[in-house]
Amino acid sequence: MNGAILRTELKRSVAPWSGALVLTTALAFLFLLPGSWGTGTTAWTAQWTTMALWTRSLLFYLWPLVVGLGALQGLRDHRSKMRELLTSTPRPARHRAAALAGTTAVTTASAFLVLVLVGAVQVLAHTEYTHPRWLPISLVGAFSLAAGALLGMGAGRALPSVLTPPAATMAAFVFTALMQTSLGRDETTTAMGVTSTEPNHASLLSPAVQEVRDQLLTLPASVHLGQTIWLLALAATGFALLVATTWRTRLAALAPALAGAALALLVLPSDAHRIYVVDRAAAEPVCDGPVCVTRSQQGRLAGLAGPGEEALRRLRTALRSRAPVSVRENSAVLPEGSTPRWSRQTVLFDFDDDVVAAARGEELTRALIGVALVPGCTPVGWSGFGNDDYARTVAVGWVLGDLQPLPGTLSQTLRREVEAATRPVWRELEALPRAAQLERIDAMRTAALTCEGDAFDALKGGTAR
């Protein structure tokens, strides 16, 4: 397809509108609407992989939109009442179809790549860790829009009705919705009896991906390969429908999609734990003395090293031989709803922890002491405020000799609640002999680190269970 044909098709097709809608609606979604894509280490502008995954997640509505616009484009010959005239010309039907399909597919894919480029500019300003492993995620996303446009055009040509574009849009949206919810997810029950869902084999047939829940998660090569096979099959079916002239050839055009789905399911990982995997290169530790972060967060190490070493020094003074010896960003990625795992020897922290995220300078030392003593037993992916937070506040006050609300406790109502619950316990603890204080702190840490019992009850002198 030369430049003249491309310019002509851009003038007489919906291709420019398709690209404009893809780009503007996606940018409005990411920049104007509040959500988890805008905060923390998993923000779409924080890391390369999270940027690629968040833009791919928007395909849950972008892909149906492109399929519907493609179906509208496929009705062009029918609306102009030139179908019989064009089929009588000596130019092969596949040439005309290639010009039409190529313009729309290239435009929509280019719009998605411009969206990725906008995200890339933002990421460059927010991270020092650069790698190429995010590229396949975005390239598959761009190709999925091109394949969706072809599929929609084929549907519009095969079923020339004004109802075809909205029907195709709705069918594609139902497909992506089902792949993200009931059909695409399996229920699992954790050891704590918490029920959660995980993506399954079928969910990978959707061009969209699930929301990003950890900065270290990425998609493996088998997912990229399987999805590319599936999308190639959909594109082939769409193009075959564009050139088909009889019902027999239209039915035969469905064969690539069926064969592609079967082949893709053989390539795609069937184990739910191999769908989203940890990027081991990004999870490698980068250390400054006893303080370590993952490579993806290496830009934060300079600001963490001093407060981290000070927290370890304070803990050694308070706990003696029982104190932890290192501070490390937690790189373990556990299933949603599972029980966190902690260590006595290492202070494991997360930059997305409310207390750590809100802390700066000396407050970061206080936050790390709190995480070391009471890291929290809220199931992975959940949030809440309760006895663990009270115990953490008292424990930090005991180490530093000064009871204060922890960083992140912004609400005045919440501050008064914490003060009322913790001040009497802190005074009682301070009034005890040193040996008794250490006994209660040790009981609290045991309950907090094993997630068996109530750390605050143990600190008050009651049973931890």
Side-chain angles (χ1 to χ4, degrees):
M1 180 170 53
N2 57 38
I5 295 176
L6 177 61
R7 286 192 297 271
T8 301
E9 287 295 336
L10 285 174
K11 291 178 181 178
R12 59 198 293 262
S13 72
V14 299
W17 294 105
S18 299
L21 280 173
V22 167
L23 182 59
T24 56
T25 59
L27 289 176
F29 189 100
L30 292 170
F31 280 111
L32 301 181
L33 296 180
S36 53
W37 52 85
T39 59
T41 60
T42 58
W44 82 289
T45 58
Q47 299 289 336
W48 292 102
T49 301
T50 57
M51 182 271 292
L53 289 173
W54 275 120
T55 51
R56 273 286 297 275
S57 71
L58 297 184
L59 294 180
F60 84 91
Y61 82 89
L62 288 178
W63 194 73
L65 179 65
V66 167
V67 170
L69 290 170
L72 181 63
Q73 180 66 37
L75 292 177
R76 187 178 67 181
D77 293 349
H78 176 75
R79 294 197 311 270
S80 62
K81 304 185 186 302
M82 295 177 57
R83 189 168 185 176
E84 292 183 2
L85 175 62
L86 292 173
T87 55
S88 65
T89 61
R91 188 183 182 191
R94 64 180 180 275
H95 289 182
R96 296 194 306 274
L100 175 66
T103 303
T104 305
V106 168
T107 303
T108 53
S110 299
F112 184 80
L113 292 177
V114 171
L115 171 66
V116 172
L117 180 61
V118 173
V121 173
Q122 305 287 318
V123 172
L124 280 172
H126 288 92
T127 184
E128 296 181 4
Y129 179 60
T130 303
H131 62 90
R133 294 182 300 280
W134 62 274
L135 280 171
I137 302 173
S138 294
L139 291 176
V140 171
F143 182 50
S144 71
L145 290 180
L150 283 170
L151 184 64
M153 284 184 280
R157 182 67 63 86
L159 301 169
S161 167
V162 294
L163 298 178
T164 300
T169 303
M170 184 55 65
F173 182 75
V174 169
F175 173 74
T176 57
L178 289 176
M179 290 301 101
Q180 294 292 305
T181 54
S182 56
L183 294 182
R185 301 185 74 85
D186 291 332
E187 283 193 358
T188 57
T189 303
T190 66
M192 295 179 66
V194 178
T195 300
S196 61
T197 62
E198 294 289 337
N200 62 24
H201 202 195
S203 69
L204 297 176
L205 294 179
S206 169
V209 298
Q210 69 174 5
E211 292 188 354
V212 185
R213 68 179 183 88
D214 195 285
Q215 58 159 334
L216 298 177
L217 288 180
T218 188
L219 294 171
S222 58
V223 170
H224 303 320
L225 177 59
Q227 290 182 331
T228 300
I229 292 172
W230 166 235
L231 293 170
L232 279 171
L234 288 183
T237 289
F239 190 79
L241 288 173
L242 266 178
V243 301
T245 56
T246 66
W247 282 107
R248 181 172 296 179
T249 54
R250 288 167 186 163
L251 288 175
L254 300 178
L258 297 176
L263 182 58
L265 289 174
L266 292 176
V267 175
L268 293 169
S270 56
D271 183 357
H273 297 102
R274 291 171 53 208
I275 294 177
Y276 291 89
V277 297
V278 174
D279 186 339
R280 297 191 181 279
E284 288 180 357
V286 178
C287 300
D288 184 348
V291 182
C292 301
V293 298
T294 60
R295 187 169 296 280
S296 62
Q297 298 294 331
Q298 61 188 21
R300 298 192 181 193
L301 181 58
L304 182 74
E309 292 182 356
E310 176 64 14
L312 291 176
R313 187 186 69 80
R314 294 276 193 162
L315 288 167
R316 279 196 303 271
T317 301
L319 300 176
R320 304 292 183 180
S321 61
R322 301 174 184 176
V325 295
S326 63
V327 175
R328 184 181 296 264
E329 182 186 357
N330 193 0
S331 61
V333 181
L334 302 176
E336 189 170 357
S338 59
T339 304
R341 300 171 186 171
W342 307 115
S343 168
R344 280 187 177 271
Q345 298 300 311
T346 302
V347 180
L348 296 174
F349 73 95
D350 191 326
F351 282 113
D352 285 331
D353 182 281
D354 291 340
V355 175
V356 175
R360 298 290 184 275
E362 293 183 0
E363 284 189 337
L364 188 53
T365 298
R366 180 179 289 271
L368 291 174
I369 292 173
V371 171
L373 296 173
V374 186
C377 292
T378 303
V380 176
W382 293 35
S383 61
F385 192 91
N387 281 359
D388 279 351
D389 301 277
Y390 298 151
R392 184 184 293 183
T393 301
V394 174
V396 174
W398 175 77
V399 171
L400 299 179
D402 181 19
L403 185 69
Q404 294 183 16
L406 291 174
T409 312
L410 301 178
S411 166
Q412 290 298 324
T413 301
L414 190 58
R415 283 175 176 265
R416 287 194 293 269
E417 179 182 329
V418 172
E419 175 74 15
T422 59
R423 180 69 64 176
V425 178
W426 180 69
R427 286 174 176 167
E428 179 184 349
L429 183 65
E430 288 288 303
L432 293 174
R434 184 66 179 178
Q437 293 179 20
L438 287 172
E439 184 178 345
R440 288 200 184 184
I441 291 293
D442 190 56
M444 177 204 70
R445 288 190 72 201
T446 299
L449 295 174
T450 62
C451 292
E452 295 178 358
D454 191 301
F456 194 48
D457 284 345
L459 194 58
K460 291 188 289 186
T463 57
R465 298 187 179 278

PDB file of all heavy atoms in Angstrom, residues 2 8 27 34 44 65 86 92 117 156 162 173 243 291 304 332 336 361 365 368 445 458:
ATOM      1  N   ASN A   2       0.773   2.054  -1.089  1.00  0.00           N
ATOM      2  CA  ASN A   2       1.610   3.235  -1.189  1.00  0.00           C
ATOM      3  C   ASN A   2       0.980   4.415  -0.445  1.00  0.00           C
ATOM      4  O   ASN A   2      -0.130   4.342   0.075  1.00  0.00           O
ATOM      5  CB  ASN A   2       1.879   3.601  -2.657  1.00  0.00           C
ATOM      6  CG  ASN A   2       0.589   3.827  -3.429  1.00  0.00           C
ATOM      7  OD1 ASN A   2      -0.372   4.388  -2.904  1.00  0.00           O
ATOM      8  ND2 ASN A   2       0.565   3.398  -4.688  1.00  0.00           N
ATOM      9  N   THR A   8      -5.749   8.417   0.730  1.00  0.00           N
ATOM     10  CA  THR A   8      -7.138   8.333   0.284  1.00  0.00           C
ATOM     11  C   THR A   8      -7.999   7.585   1.284  1.00  0.00           C
ATOM     12  O   THR A   8      -9.109   8.011   1.620  1.00  0.00           O
ATOM     13  CB  THR A   8      -7.212   7.640  -1.090  1.00  0.00           C
ATOM     14  OG1 THR A   8      -6.436   8.380  -2.030  1.00  0.00           O
ATOM     15  CG2 THR A   8      -8.644   7.544  -1.578  1.00  0.00           C
ATOM     16  N   LEU A  27      -6.034   8.124  27.468  1.00  0.00           N
ATOM     17  CA  LEU A  27      -5.350   9.165  28.232  1.00  0.00           C
ATOM     18  C   LEU A  27      -6.271   9.784  29.275  1.00  0.00           C
ATOM     19  O   LEU A  27      -5.847  10.067  30.402  1.00  0.00           O
ATOM     20  CB  LEU A  27      -4.822  10.245  27.286  1.00  0.00           C
ATOM     21  CG  LEU A  27      -3.642   9.845  26.397  1.00  0.00           C
ATOM     22  CD1 LEU A  27      -3.292  10.973  25.439  1.00  0.00           C
ATOM     23  CD2 LEU A  27      -2.425   9.473  27.247  1.00  0.00           C
ATOM     24  N   PRO A  34      -9.309   8.789  39.190  1.00  0.00           N
ATOM     25  CA  PRO A  34      -8.468   8.277  40.273  1.00  0.00           C
ATOM     26  C   PRO A  34      -8.546   6.753  40.341  1.00  0.00           C
ATOM     27  O   PRO A  34      -9.575   6.151  40.055  1.00  0.00           O
ATOM     28  CB  PRO A  34      -9.079   8.919  41.524  1.00  0.00           C
ATOM     29  CG  PRO A  34     -10.519   9.145  41.168  1.00  0.00           C
ATOM     30  CD  PRO A  34     -10.547   9.445  39.698  1.00  0.00           C
ATOM     31  N   TRP A  44       1.073   3.515  36.760  1.00  0.00           N
ATOM     32  CA  TRP A  44       1.410   3.277  35.346  1.00  0.00           C
ATOM     33  C   TRP A  44       2.594   4.126  34.895  1.00  0.00           C
ATOM     34  O   TRP A  44       3.196   3.838  33.843  1.00  0.00           O
ATOM     35  CB  TRP A  44       0.190   3.522  34.473  1.00  0.00           C
ATOM     36  CG  TRP A  44      -0.095   4.948  34.103  1.00  0.00           C
ATOM     37  CD1 TRP A  44      -0.546   5.933  34.913  1.00  0.00           C
ATOM     38  CD2 TRP A  44       0.057   5.538  32.802  1.00  0.00           C
ATOM     39  NE1 TRP A  44      -0.692   7.102  34.209  1.00  0.00           N
ATOM     40  CE2 TRP A  44      -0.341   6.890  32.906  1.00  0.00           C
ATOM     41  CE3 TRP A  44       0.466   5.062  31.553  1.00  0.00           C
ATOM     42  CZ2 TRP A  44      -0.325   7.761  31.829  1.00  0.00           C
ATOM     43  CZ3 TRP A  44       0.476   5.928  30.476  1.00  0.00           C
ATOM     44  CH2 TRP A  44       0.099   7.266  30.612  1.00  0.00           C
ATOM     45  N   LEU A  65     -14.318  -1.463  21.503  1.00  0.00           N
ATOM     46  CA  LEU A  65     -14.554  -0.219  20.765  1.00  0.00           C
ATOM     47  C   LEU A  65     -13.979  -0.308  19.360  1.00  0.00           C
ATOM     48  O   LEU A  65     -14.639   0.063  18.374  1.00  0.00           O
ATOM     49  CB  LEU A  65     -13.917   0.942  21.533  1.00  0.00           C
ATOM     50  CG  LEU A  65     -14.027   2.335  20.900  1.00  0.00           C
ATOM     51  CD1 LEU A  65     -15.482   2.773  20.834  1.00  0.00           C
ATOM     52  CD2 LEU A  65     -13.194   3.346  21.676  1.00  0.00           C
ATOM     53  N   LEU A  86     -17.897  -2.812  -7.418  1.00  0.00           N
ATOM     54  CA  LEU A  86     -16.509  -3.069  -7.057  1.00  0.00           C
ATOM     55  C   LEU A  86     -16.119  -4.520  -7.302  1.00  0.00           C
ATOM     56  O   LEU A  86     -14.978  -4.806  -7.693  1.00  0.00           O
ATOM     57  CB  LEU A  86     -16.279  -2.709  -5.583  1.00  0.00           C
ATOM     58  CG  LEU A  86     -16.362  -1.215  -5.257  1.00  0.00           C
ATOM     59  CD1 LEU A  86     -16.294  -1.000  -3.761  1.00  0.00           C
ATOM     60  CD2 LEU A  86     -15.246  -0.449  -5.951  1.00  0.00           C
ATOM     61  N   PRO A  92      -8.211  -7.596  -7.882  1.00  0.00           N
ATOM     62  CA  PRO A  92      -8.570  -8.670  -6.942  1.00  0.00           C
ATOM     63  C   PRO A  92      -9.170  -8.107  -5.654  1.00  0.00           C
ATOM     64  O   PRO A  92      -8.771  -7.049  -5.163  1.00  0.00           O
ATOM     65  CB  PRO A  92      -7.243  -9.371  -6.675  1.00  0.00           C
ATOM     66  CG  PRO A  92      -6.371  -9.038  -7.839  1.00  0.00           C
ATOM     67  CD  PRO A  92      -6.788  -7.659  -8.269  1.00  0.00           C
ATOM     68  N   LEU A 117       4.033   5.549  24.279  1.00  0.00           N
ATOM     69  CA  LEU A 117       5.093   6.558  24.242  1.00  0.00           C
ATOM     70  C   LEU A 117       4.868   7.629  25.304  1.00  0.00           C
ATOM     71  O   LEU A 117       5.825   8.070  25.963  1.00  0.00           O
ATOM     72  CB  LEU A 117       5.157   7.183  22.851  1.00  0.00           C
ATOM     73  CG  LEU A 117       6.220   8.277  22.646  1.00  0.00           C
ATOM     74  CD1 LEU A 117       7.618   7.710  22.881  1.00  0.00           C
ATOM     75  CD2 LEU A 117       6.108   8.875  21.256  1.00  0.00           C
ATOM     76  N   GLY A 156     -18.501  -6.840   9.669  1.00  0.00           N
ATOM     77  CA  GLY A 156     -19.350  -5.870   8.980  1.00  0.00           C
ATOM     78  C   GLY A 156     -19.580  -6.223   7.527  1.00  0.00           C
ATOM     79  O   GLY A 156     -20.680  -6.029   6.988  1.00  0.00           O
ATOM     80  N   VAL A 162     -27.142  -2.390   9.844  1.00  0.00           N
ATOM     81  CA  VAL A 162     -26.847  -1.295  10.764  1.00  0.00           C
ATOM     82  C   VAL A 162     -26.710  -1.797  12.199  1.00  0.00           C
ATOM     83  O   VAL A 162     -26.159  -1.103  13.062  1.00  0.00           O
ATOM     84  CB  VAL A 162     -27.943  -0.213  10.694  1.00  0.00           C
ATOM     85  CG1 VAL A 162     -27.944   0.465   9.340  1.00  0.00           C
ATOM     86  CG2 VAL A 162     -29.325  -0.809  10.993  1.00  0.00           C
ATOM     87  N   PHE A 173     -17.258  -6.796  24.059  1.00  0.00           N
ATOM     88  CA  PHE A 173     -17.195  -6.345  25.452  1.00  0.00           C
ATOM     89  C   PHE A 173     -17.599  -7.466  26.407  1.00  0.00           C
ATOM     90  O   PHE A 173     -16.963  -7.661  27.452  1.00  0.00           O
ATOM     91  CB  PHE A 173     -18.102  -5.135  25.649  1.00  0.00           C
ATOM     92  CG  PHE A 173     -18.064  -4.580  27.044  1.00  0.00           C
ATOM     93  CD1 PHE A 173     -16.977  -3.837  27.466  1.00  0.00           C
ATOM     94  CD2 PHE A 173     -19.087  -4.827  27.935  1.00  0.00           C
ATOM     95  CE1 PHE A 173     -16.915  -3.326  28.757  1.00  0.00           C
ATOM     96  CE2 PHE A 173     -19.033  -4.333  29.225  1.00  0.00           C
ATOM     97  CZ  PHE A 173     -17.948  -3.579  29.638  1.00  0.00           C
ATOM     98  N   VAL A 243     -12.815 -10.732   2.253  1.00  0.00           N
ATOM     99  CA  VAL A 243     -12.728 -11.101   0.831  1.00  0.00           C
ATOM    100  C   VAL A 243     -13.726 -12.185   0.452  1.00  0.00           C
ATOM    101  O   VAL A 243     -13.878 -12.493  -0.733  1.00  0.00           O
ATOM    102  CB  VAL A 243     -11.298 -11.551   0.481  1.00  0.00           C
ATOM    103  CG1 VAL A 243     -10.298 -10.447   0.757  1.00  0.00           C
ATOM    104  CG2 VAL A 243     -10.909 -12.806   1.262  1.00  0.00           C
ATOM    105  N   VAL A 291      21.248  -2.532  54.262  1.00  0.00           N
ATOM    106  CA  VAL A 291      19.969  -2.069  53.731  1.00  0.00           C
ATOM    107  C   VAL A 291      19.899  -2.395  52.246  1.00  0.00           C
ATOM    108  O   VAL A 291      20.781  -1.988  51.474  1.00  0.00           O
ATOM    109  CB  VAL A 291      19.782  -0.561  53.962  1.00  0.00           C
ATOM    110  CG1 VAL A 291      18.425  -0.113  53.436  1.00  0.00           C
ATOM    111  CG2 VAL A 291      19.919  -0.225  55.444  1.00  0.00           C
ATOM    112  N   LEU A 304      17.054   5.669  51.726  1.00  0.00           N
ATOM    113  CA  LEU A 304      16.636   4.655  52.698  1.00  0.00           C
ATOM    114  C   LEU A 304      17.786   4.178  53.574  1.00  0.00           C
ATOM    115  O   LEU A 304      17.567   3.743  54.706  1.00  0.00           O
ATOM    116  CB  LEU A 304      16.020   3.472  51.947  1.00  0.00           C
ATOM    117  CG  LEU A 304      15.477   2.327  52.790  1.00  0.00           C
ATOM    118  CD1 LEU A 304      14.168   2.726  53.465  1.00  0.00           C
ATOM    119  CD2 LEU A 304      15.249   1.083  51.923  1.00  0.00           C
ATOM    120  N   ALA A 332       8.965 -11.012  47.962  1.00  0.00           N
ATOM    121  CA  ALA A 332       8.106 -12.193  47.854  1.00  0.00           C
ATOM    122  C   ALA A 332       6.726 -11.768  47.335  1.00  0.00           C
ATOM    123  O   ALA A 332       6.121 -10.838  47.868  1.00  0.00           O
ATOM    124  CB  ALA A 332       7.969 -12.879  49.209  1.00  0.00           C
ATOM    125  N   GLU A 336      -3.034 -13.497  46.360  1.00  0.00           N
ATOM    126  CA  GLU A 336      -3.935 -12.584  47.052  1.00  0.00           C
ATOM    127  C   GLU A 336      -4.756 -13.340  48.092  1.00  0.00           C
ATOM    128  O   GLU A 336      -5.285 -14.416  47.823  1.00  0.00           O
ATOM    129  CB  GLU A 336      -4.862 -11.901  46.047  1.00  0.00           C
ATOM    130  CG  GLU A 336      -5.687 -10.779  46.640  1.00  0.00           C
ATOM    131  CD  GLU A 336      -6.404  -9.968  45.584  1.00  0.00           C
ATOM    132  OE1 GLU A 336      -6.204 -10.246  44.394  1.00  0.00           O
ATOM    133  OE2 GLU A 336      -7.155  -9.062  45.958  1.00  0.00           O
ATOM    134  N   GLY A 361      12.607  11.066  56.047  1.00  0.00           N
ATOM    135  CA  GLY A 361      13.672  11.391  56.983  1.00  0.00           C
ATOM    136  C   GLY A 361      13.605  10.588  58.272  1.00  0.00           C
ATOM    137  O   GLY A 361      13.598   9.363  58.254  1.00  0.00           O
ATOM    138  N   THR A 365      12.788   6.214  59.875  1.00  0.00           N
ATOM    139  CA  THR A 365      13.377   5.363  60.910  1.00  0.00           C
ATOM    140  C   THR A 365      12.294   4.807  61.823  1.00  0.00           C
ATOM    141  O   THR A 365      12.266   3.616  62.145  1.00  0.00           O
ATOM    142  CB  THR A 365      14.396   6.170  61.741  1.00  0.00           C
ATOM    143  OG1 THR A 365      15.459   6.603  60.887  1.00  0.00           O
ATOM    144  CG2 THR A 365      14.961   5.329  62.874  1.00  0.00           C
ATOM    145  N   LEU A 368      10.294   2.101  59.965  1.00  0.00           N
ATOM    146  CA  LEU A 368      11.001   0.827  59.817  1.00  0.00           C
ATOM    147  C   LEU A 368      11.078   0.074  61.144  1.00  0.00           C
ATOM    148  O   LEU A 368      11.017  -1.161  61.163  1.00  0.00           O
ATOM    149  CB  LEU A 368      12.403   1.075  59.261  1.00  0.00           C
ATOM    150  CG  LEU A 368      12.453   1.554  57.803  1.00  0.00           C
ATOM    151  CD1 LEU A 368      13.873   1.915  57.408  1.00  0.00           C
ATOM    152  CD2 LEU A 368      11.896   0.487  56.869  1.00  0.00           C
ATOM    153  N   ARG A 445       6.153  -9.875  69.474  1.00  0.00           N
ATOM    154  CA  ARG A 445       6.840 -10.164  68.210  1.00  0.00           C
ATOM    155  C   ARG A 445       6.525 -11.563  67.714  1.00  0.00           C
ATOM    156  O   ARG A 445       6.362 -11.790  66.516  1.00  0.00           O
ATOM    157  CB  ARG A 445       8.357 -10.022  68.393  1.00  0.00           C
ATOM    158  CG  ARG A 445       8.852  -8.597  68.542  1.00  0.00           C
ATOM    159  CD  ARG A 445      10.362  -8.578  68.466  1.00  0.00           C
ATOM    160  NE  ARG A 445      10.839  -8.819  67.112  1.00  0.00           N
ATOM    161  CZ  ARG A 445      12.062  -9.255  66.809  1.00  0.00           C
ATOM    162  NH1 ARG A 445      12.921  -9.550  67.785  1.00  0.00           N
ATOM    163  NH2 ARG A 445      12.423  -9.433  65.567  1.00  0.00           N
ATOM    164  N   ALA A 458      -1.052  -9.588  73.389  1.00  0.00           N
ATOM    165  CA  ALA A 458       0.190 -10.072  73.995  1.00  0.00           C
ATOM    166  C   ALA A 458       0.947  -8.921  74.655  1.00  0.00           C
ATOM    167  O   ALA A 458       1.544  -9.090  75.733  1.00  0.00           O
ATOM    168  CB  ALA A 458       1.059 -10.752  72.940  1.00  0.00           C
TER     169      ALA A 458
END
